[in-house]
Amino acid sequence: MPQAPFHQPDSGGNSAASVTGLVHSVESCGTVDGPGIRFVLFLSGCSLRCRYCHNPDASYVRRGQTRSAADILEELARYRDFLQAAGGGLTLSGGDPLFQPAFAKAVLKGGKAMGLHTCLDTSGHLGANADGELLEHTDLVLLDIKAWNPERYRNLTGGELRPTLEFAERLAALRKPVWLRYVLVPGLTDDMEDMAQLARCARRLGNVERVDILPFHQMGRFKWDELDLDYTLRNVREPSAELTEQARSIFRREGNSRYEVH
């Protein structure tokens, strides 16, 4: 049976064709940005300057192609049946999608109109940009909490932790499902007590379904060099398997089976 044509939804009074954004790249078969196989849209722009960022070309330098939400949704529609069959959907990542909230909302709304599962990958630092309508069309939030200690957070990202925690509380009040992401960087985010406090916070929130401990890697280093940016973690090694499992054990213990840990 031929696939029914997709009609663009109206986004807050504006057609999807009139809402444009700066797109860094598209991954049509992503497997690490939410459940199942995902259509991952990477948007340009970010409010943080994370020292371990593996997409500095999307965050530090707002490069990308200007595209309309309608154009993106037409591309997404070609994968709709496959994504649904694969238990996946649409994920907005970056950069940080909340750097372009109107565009993000239009695409999420269109994805939901197709019957797709929608996911927002964000640091939460710009959580105030996510209005009720945007979150209404978001099924899952991948929340990247970079560090628990405010001073360490500032040293690592150049920003403040408070907005992210406020966004986390807001998501909890809405009972919006969250997968918490934590990048484990030796010497920067491997403090055991900090991780224990974050794990207890995730348990208290009640809407965190899963915690992913993501070992730091050097795979994005070449992008910093190409952009002639000062990469301060050049000599930092990837965490050992033992340290990574120790971090996961802390979250398992403090989470008390309230969420999965990977």
Side-chain angles (χ1 to χ4, degrees):
M1 177 180 293
Q3 181 173 287
F6 173 67
H7 298 286
Q8 310 296 350
D10 184 75
S11 177
N14 297 315
S15 70
S18 69
V19 182
T20 62
L22 199 59
V23 174
H24 172 266
S25 57
V26 173
E27 184 177 358
S28 58
C29 294
T31 58
V32 296
D33 298 292
I37 297 178
R38 319 288 298 180
F39 181 98
V40 186
L41 180 69
F42 295 91
L43 303 188
S44 296
C46 185
S47 59
L48 297 178
R49 295 294 177 262
C50 298
R51 293 167 61 190
Y52 58 67
C53 182
H54 63 278
N55 282 330
D57 47 335
S59 301
Y60 273 76
V61 181
R62 292 198 277 281
R63 295 180 170 183
Q65 178 184 7
T66 299
R67 297 183 63 178
S68 71
D71 178 40
I72 293 295
L73 293 171
E74 286 176 4
E75 182 177 351
L76 174 63
R78 296 198 291 270
Y79 297 92
R80 174 174 55 181
D81 290 350
F82 168 72
L83 295 170
Q84 289 175 329
L90 165 69
T91 296
L92 266 58
S93 187
D96 192 322
L98 295 181
F99 198 87
Q100 302 184 64
F103 184 64
K105 178 166 63 176
V107 175
L108 289 167
K109 189 173 182 177
K112 285 302 296 178
M114 290 183 206
L116 290 173
H117 178 275
T118 57
C119 181
L120 177 70
D121 182 7
T122 176
S123 71
H125 188 250
L126 294 174
N129 286 353
D131 64 18
E133 186 180 14
L134 186 152
L135 292 178
E136 177 187 348
H137 293 96
T138 301
D139 293 314
L140 172 69
V141 176
L142 305 182
L143 185 60
D144 303 307
I145 297 187
K146 315 293 184 177
W148 177 254
N149 178 281
E151 184 176 346
R152 288 194 183 96
Y153 188 96
R154 190 179 307 111
N155 175 264
L156 182 65
T157 70
E160 300 299 320
L161 174 61
R162 187 70 248 165
T164 292
L165 298 184
E166 290 174 351
F167 186 55
E169 295 283 357
R170 183 178 166 208
L171 293 173
L174 293 171
R175 310 305 302 165
K176 184 68 64 176
V178 165
W179 289 9
L180 180 67
R181 290 180 149 188
Y182 187 79
V183 179
L184 183 63
V185 187
L188 286 176
T189 66
D190 58 352
D191 184 274
M192 300 301 163
E193 180 55 30
D194 280 1
M195 286 189 281
Q197 291 188 49
L198 176 56
R200 290 192 287 269
C201 175
R203 182 185 66 197
R204 177 184 61 78
L205 289 170
N207 62 324
V208 176
E209 299 180 342
R210 168 172 167 157
V211 173
D212 288 316
I213 304 299
L214 307 177
F216 165 77
H217 59 71
Q218 293 280 1
M219 288 186 285
R221 173 178 164 179
F222 76 95
K223 296 182 182 180
W224 290 73
D225 293 338
E226 287 179 350
L227 296 169
D228 197 26
L229 295 171
D230 183 21
Y231 184 56
T232 62
L233 305 188
R234 192 173 301 275
N235 297 318
V236 175
R237 294 185 177 181
E238 297 179 1
S240 65
E242 292 76 14
L243 177 60
T244 302
E245 184 53 35
Q246 187 176 6
R248 289 178 178 138
S249 296
I250 289 173
F251 280 88
R252 291 190 186 103
R253 182 188 71 230
E254 299 296 341
N256 196 26
S257 301
R258 293 292 298 275
Y259 45 74
E260 298 178 15
V261 180
H262 295 267

